[in-house]
Amino acid sequence: MRAGGAGRGRFITFEGGEGAGKSTQIRRLAVHLRARSGRPVVVTREPGGSPRAEAIREALLAGVAKPHGPFAEALLFCAARIDHLDTLIRPALAAGEIVLCDRFADSTRAYQGAAGGLDPALLTSLEEVVVGQTRPDLTLILDCDPELGLARARARQSADEGAEAGPDRFEAEALAFHARLRTAFLAIAAAEPGRCAVVNAALPADAVEAAIRTLVAERLPGLFTETPGAHGDAA
């Protein structure tokens, strides 16, 4: 059973490699849904989303767990996810709210699994314990060439933090790592087409936003209090 049963909220996750534009698009979709759905919209992220999970995020992105291998990283991600689910996601869904999450369990499958080499069966077992029935109603996988994504990530860092700031733990990985990530996300989408939809994130941001609005309206029509208008209408 997924998160969005009768009388419950809806859970939409955004996935993809570095620099795919998830943060930008999740903010834009939140504005659109607040105007059109008549429901509260919660925007959150992983790792993070709750005070304890944010502390774990800081350690993970700083590379504290990297010397201990992908299994240690996966356990830390799971610890953060447990607190995030219990503190924020499940209460919001129970209250009938829409939850938009920047990364979720699919990122653990891709980063620590396909790119990090962990046994998929192990990750599936962890996911069953940690996530349980709180699974996304829709997962939007923003896909673009890793070289483009990494270039965007570097440009964002330079703009936001200054040229002296370096890449985080995952951005610093070699291009081959990011190529494996892309393959992993596309494989997840192919294996679960009912839940996942791939969006061409190489397009301009407005075009990506329009594609996402269309997908959400098609996949989750019950979200809207009225039929959404043309892609270019006001949010």
Side-chain angles (χ1 to χ4, degrees), residues 117-200:
L118 280 187
D119 183 353
L122 172 62
L123 290 175
T124 297
S125 296
L126 285 172
E127 189 174 321
E128 288 173 353
V129 171
V130 173
V131 175
Q133 296 183 345
T134 313
R135 299 186 181 276
D137 297 288
L138 174 63
T139 295
L140 298 164
I141 295 178
L142 275 59
D143 174 61
C144 69
D145 184 278
E147 290 187 274
L148 172 61
L150 290 171
R152 287 175 172 175
R154 288 192 294 268
R156 180 192 65 222
Q157 269 188 346
S158 180
D160 293 349
E161 302 173 6
E164 295 181 1
D168 68 28
R169 148 78 181 95
F170 298 103
E171 291 170 348
E173 289 285 350
L175 184 60
F177 176 92
H178 295 280
R180 292 196 299 273
L181 280 180
R182 185 186 192 187
T183 299
F185 280 123
L186 292 175
I188 290 168
E192 298 187 57
R195 172 175 69 89
C196 300
V198 177
V199 181
N200 182 359

Side-chain angles (χ1 to χ4, degrees), residues 47-130:
S50 65
R52 281 179 287 212
E54 287 290 335
I56 296 173
R57 174 190 180 89
E58 185 176 345
L60 281 164
L61 296 188
V64 170
K66 182 179 180 179
H68 304 288
F71 183 54
E73 283 189 328
L75 290 177
L76 282 174
F77 275 107
C78 287
R81 187 164 297 133
I82 288 168
D83 192 68
H84 188 203
L85 282 162
D86 289 346
T87 303
L88 180 67
I89 294 176
R90 287 179 179 134
L93 293 173
E97 300 174 4
I98 300 170
V99 177
L100 306 181
C101 191
D102 186 344
R103 298 199 183 281
F104 193 60
D106 292 317
S107 279
T108 305
R109 292 193 209 177
Y111 279 76
Q112 282 71 50
L118 280 187
D119 183 353
L122 172 62
L123 290 175
T124 297
S125 296
L126 285 172
E127 189 174 321
E128 288 173 353
V129 171
V130 173

Side-chain angles (χ1 to χ4, degrees), residues 21-38:
K22 298 182 307 304
S23 299
T24 296
Q25 295 302 331
I26 204 168
R27 287 194 298 267
R28 292 187 178 202
L29 182 60
V31 171
H32 180 62
L33 289 175
R34 286 178 181 129
R36 295 300 186 104
S37 71

